[in-house]
Amino acid sequence: MFALRGHHRFARAATSIARRGLSTLEGHPHIYIYPSHQLGSASHILTLLPTSPPTPKLSLGTTTSLPPTTDTFTENHQFLPILQSVLAEHAHEDPDVISQAQAMASTAGSGLGSGGVFFPHQKNRRAKTYGGGGGAGGDGAGGASAQGGMGGAGRGGWVHVSDQRNRPDFGRIAWPEDIFGSIEVDGHGRFVGGKGNYQPSGTYRILTREGILGLSPNLRDKVVERLRREEAATH
């Protein structure tokens, strides 16, 4: 059931749309598609940059089908360090992350969470498996990636920075493959050290059955800015 739901949500059509003479992934106008001649005519490069020809080492990866699937997509491992570097620098500026930090510092927020907040770690608890009832994400008491914990209001803790492709239900936290990393917040909702001591999760995947990379507009702009600088340095 999970596989079917994820497929229908993400793979509604196998065609791309033309945008200013460029092809973009259906439902993802910020992801550009280019043929990968080195790998054969049936392979495509997916990238956040509209530059032609594309720079493979700055791409998300390659796929032998459109839309890409977990079976046909090959992740570009050089992209993730760039992504994580940008998040370490700018995640604390993102409106969603700021909202989570503020919720943590409030009495109500500290008890409920918002899908991205760490809950107190509890031993002998496991996250729900895929296909379990109640929607995506771990349960509200030590679910997916619940390490550490925020305690009560005014005590601070950590919040998740998560992909937007598969937002968890209220009171749950995202699946590990959807979590970019975590950011530390003090008891007043402020980011520790100014930027929150961002820590990569080590579990994030660019493509899952629920979809491909889904950044907030603010973070996506920052990633594209960084990729443009990297691209300019290669020419």
Side-chain angles (χ1 to χ4, degrees):
M1 181 179 296
F2 172 82
L4 289 175
R5 183 175 69 250
H7 178 75
H8 291 314
R9 268 174 61 178
F10 177 55
R12 294 192 180 102
T15 59
S16 61
I17 61 175
R19 183 171 180 264
R20 292 182 300 163
L22 302 176
S23 293
T24 58
L25 194 63
E26 178 73 18
H28 301 273
H30 302 284
I31 298 179
Y32 300 93
I33 304 171
Y34 294 93
S36 179
H37 300 295
Q38 294 180 342
L39 299 177
S41 59
S43 185
H44 305 270
I45 294 174
L46 303 181
T47 175
L48 294 176
L49 295 177
T51 308
S52 181
T55 305
K57 70 178 183 179
L58 299 178
S59 70
L60 304 181
T62 59
T63 180
T64 56
S65 72
L66 293 174
T69 69
T70 54
D71 293 324
T72 64
F73 178 75
T74 301
E75 187 174 288
N76 171 27
H77 296 294
Q78 292 178 286
F79 174 78
L80 281 179
I82 296 175
L83 173 64
Q84 292 292 359
S85 176
V86 172
L87 293 176
E89 186 69 20
H90 298 288
H92 70 286
E93 302 168 351
D94 188 68
D96 285 347
V97 178
I98 293 173
S99 295
Q100 291 177 33
Q102 293 173 343
M104 172 180 288
S106 70
T107 302
S110 70
L112 296 175
S114 62
V117 178
F118 275 155
F119 290 85
H121 178 71
Q122 295 184 14
K123 296 182 179 180
N124 301 321
R125 295 296 299 270
R126 295 187 300 174
K128 292 184 178 179
T129 57
Y130 286 137
D139 61 26
S145 294
Q147 45 190 311
M150 65 185 186
R155 294 180 58 183
W158 296 79
V159 296
H160 288 311
V161 182
S162 303
D163 196 293
Q164 296 191 342
R165 65 188 166 208
N166 185 29
R167 289 180 177 273
D169 295 336
F170 182 77
R172 295 175 181 245
I173 46 182
W175 291 107
E177 62 190 18
D178 294 325
I179 298 174
F180 296 119
S182 309
I183 194 165
E184 189 176 8
V185 179
D186 67 18
H188 301 286
R190 297 175 301 212
F191 297 109
V192 175
K195 295 184 179 181
N197 299 324
Y198 178 83
Q199 299 293 320
S201 68
T203 59
Y204 178 76
R205 290 167 55 194
I206 293 175
L207 179 75
T208 71
R209 291 178 179 176
E210 294 296 332
I212 200 165
L213 175 71
L215 291 164
S216 68
N218 177 66
L219 292 178
R220 183 177 61 242
D221 288 346
K222 296 298 184 182
V223 171
V224 170
E225 288 177 10
R226 172 67 178 278
L227 291 174
R228 288 187 184 279
R229 291 198 300 269
E230 295 284 341
E231 183 179 60
T234 63
H235 297 301

